[in-house]
Amino acid sequence: MPRMKRFACLLALLCLSCFAATPVLAQGLLRDAETEALLTDMARPLFDAAGLSPGSTRIVLIGDKSINAFVAGGQIVYVHSGLLDAADTANEVQGVIAHEIGHITGGHAVFQNDGGYGSISILSLLLGAAAMAAGSPEAGTGILMMGQRAAIGKYLAFSRVQESSADSAGARYLITAGISGKGMLSFFNKLTAQMHRYGYYTTNPEVDPFSQTHPMSNDRVENLKADLQNAPTWSKPLDASIEARFKRVQAKLRGYMNDPESTLRRYPKSDQSVAAHYARAYAYHKSGYPEQAAAEAAALVKIAPRDPYFLELEGQILLESGKPREALVPLREATALSNNQPLIAALFGHALIATEDKANLAEAETVLRQAVVRDKENPFAWFNLGTVYERKGDEPRTALATAERAHLMGDAGVAFMSARAAMSGLPAGSSDWIRAQDIMMVSQTKLEEQKKKKRNG
């Protein structure tokens, strides 16, 4: 694809992604107990260093192979699975997270009056290099013809200051948290190399638009070197526990997200490491080879019989291979060993239901109710809890669980109707009735807003 057409693709991608950020996020979240625990532990000292309250901060994983991370309002950092795949160390990911926290503390995510966009991507356009080679050049050209080039240029110029500010803040948070900045610099160097590969980097001062309107990654590396290399944390050893956990999670995500053949080439059978067993288990399971997947999971459990994440994997493979009864033992143990971690508990609850044994409904209800109390943003758990209520003949609470799930999924119509149905059968003034009322009112407001937009559109 000619260079100018690739740049047109970029403009199209930028406009579409910025205006459609929230709906895409709702559809692409990846939930995994082990991964979320790791990302939380990696980010906690950085959030602390930034003076942000732990209760209001989160790292959210997006199932997307592109190398990206961004903020979109609030105190949440969104990280693409592709970034974890591309990183060599957890320390590199921490450098990215630190940069994004710099955007949060700088108030950069909400600047519609200045740039016209509602979200900021790490390095803004630079990390879109992989996406530039795909997409529609015609769409990009169309945007240019509609006069968007000036708007994009304004955004790039505005973003330059913000990116540099986020770099400086991120470096400061790494140093304050006692974390080496080597990962931040090494990851920036990777991005510079990526820009070279895709032909977007140039030292020619006459070339527009990137070199004039947005700082290139190598420039930003130079700006950061002095601060990071002179800090006492520069030569501090990496956290061995965090790095080992990262290799596990990275392999798990590769097995889940990538083509099974490429995963099996990367992690051949001769590799008997924990990470390799993890990756192969998911690759085999994804390919429809349950016996091989179960063997890899069994190898992990043999290495660490009381590791809740290994037991969770063993149970998941059994459950999804049509063996729910066999899955109960490892999933029950995984739930207990993880202190009823909501995502693991929800899977256990699903297995109890899948046995089709009415004797398991009471335990399933207990497990799932605890799961949704501790993690309300889990549509899977609400779906299974609704199934329990439906099988028990509890229509009002079936409707309430359906309303909760629809509310999380952004389906205002179903949420409104289900919440109204729940209210009609629940004791007025009870906690469940009040919750149904809240969902109904919020959904009604959303439906009215949607109607108004249609009328005005």
Side-chain angles (χ1 to χ4, degrees), residues 250-416:
Q250 185 181 55
K252 173 189 287 192
L253 289 173
R254 284 170 174 168
Y256 180 77
M257 292 292 299
N258 297 344
D259 178 77
E261 291 185 2
S262 65
T263 300
L264 295 174
R265 284 195 301 270
R266 183 189 287 264
Y267 298 95
K269 289 184 178 180
S270 58
D271 186 345
Q272 292 296 300
S273 66
V274 166
H277 283 303
Y278 239 150
R280 289 196 297 268
Y282 277 92
Y284 283 133
H285 189 51
K286 187 176 181 179
S287 300
Y289 293 98
E291 292 183 2
Q292 290 90 330
E296 297 292 348
L300 289 171
V301 173
K302 185 177 181 180
I303 293 171
R306 292 179 59 80
D307 188 308
Y309 305 123
F310 294 167
L311 290 165
E312 177 196 21
L313 175 60
E314 183 179 48
Q316 178 186 355
I317 290 172
L318 288 168
L319 172 61
E320 295 176 0
S321 299
K323 300 177 181 178
R325 290 189 182 278
E326 291 91 330
L328 293 184
V329 172
L331 289 177
R332 182 179 282 111
E333 189 173 2
T335 301
L337 290 171
S338 66
N339 190 29
N340 294 305
Q341 202 286 335
L343 293 174
I344 297 177
L347 186 63
F348 176 40
H350 177 59
L352 288 165
I353 295 169
T355 63
E356 300 289 341
D357 187 344
K358 289 185 178 180
N360 289 329
L361 288 180
E363 184 178 13
E365 181 179 358
T366 299
V367 168
L368 291 166
R369 283 187 68 90
Q370 290 177 351
V372 296
V373 166
R374 297 180 65 178
D375 181 7
K376 296 183 184 299
E377 298 180 8
N378 188 341
F380 179 68
W382 282 113
F383 173 81
N384 284 294
L385 185 56
T387 301
V388 170
Y389 289 139
E390 188 272 331
R391 292 187 183 179
K392 291 178 63 177
D394 189 340
E395 294 183 4
R397 286 180 176 79
T398 301
L400 178 57
T402 302
E404 292 278 10
R405 180 175 182 273
H407 178 61
L408 288 174
M409 300 297 290
D411 191 337
V414 172
F416 175 78

Side-chain angles (χ1 to χ4, degrees), residues 46 54 81 136 138 141 151 156 174 178 231 280 291 293 296 313 323 345 423 435 451 456:
L46 296 168
S81 59
S136 168
E138 290 78 13
T141 304
L156 290 171
L174 285 167
R280 289 196 297 268
E291 292 183 2
E296 297 292 348
L313 175 60
K323 300 177 181 178
M423 288 180 66
R435 177 57 185 163
K451 290 180 181 178
N456 297 335

Side-chain angles (χ1 to χ4, degrees), residues 12-29 60-64 68-74 76 78-80 109-112 116-122 155:
L13 174 68
L14 176 65
C15 289
L16 292 175
S17 65
C18 287
F19 285 114
T22 302
V24 171
L25 294 182
Q27 296 171 12
L29 299 185
V60 172
L61 182 65
I62 306 295
D64 192 307
N68 205 359
F70 59 92
V71 296
I76 301 174
Y78 297 90
V79 177
H80 283 201
V110 181
F111 61 103
Q112 285 84 349
Y117 303 99
S119 65
I120 294 177
S121 167
I122 176 178
Y155 169 77

Side-chain angles (χ1 to χ4, degrees), residues 149-268:
R149 183 166 184 169
I152 298 297
K154 180 183 178 184
Y155 169 77
L156 290 171
F158 182 77
S159 173
R160 179 178 57 193
V161 175
Q162 294 190 331
E163 293 298 324
S164 297
S165 172
D167 289 345
S168 298
R172 187 167 65 252
Y173 300 147
L174 285 167
I175 295 168
T176 303
I179 298 172
S180 173
K182 288 182 178 179
M184 178 180 253
L185 289 184
S186 64
F187 202 79
F188 270 56
N189 283 327
K190 284 182 184 178
L191 298 172
T192 303
Q194 187 182 60
M195 296 301 295
H196 278 291
R197 284 198 304 274
Y198 283 93
Y200 285 94
Y201 181 76
T202 177
T203 56
N204 184 347
E206 296 181 0
V207 173
D208 186 60
F210 286 145
S211 60
Q212 302 303 311
T213 58
H214 200 88
M216 293 294 100
S217 344
N218 70 328
D219 296 330
R220 296 164 67 176
V221 169
E222 292 302 318
N223 291 336
L224 284 169
K225 271 185 179 179
D227 289 340
L228 291 174
Q229 291 182 345
N230 292 330
T233 55
W234 175 253
S235 298
K236 184 177 179 179
L238 302 185
D239 187 319
S241 174
I242 289 289
E243 293 297 333
R245 291 169 62 190
F246 175 72
K247 290 302 180 185
R248 283 174 50 156
V249 164
Q250 185 181 55
K252 173 189 287 192
L253 289 173
R254 284 170 174 168
Y256 180 77
M257 292 292 299
N258 297 344
D259 178 77
E261 291 185 2
S262 65
T263 300
L264 295 174
R265 284 195 301 270
R266 183 189 287 264
Y267 298 95

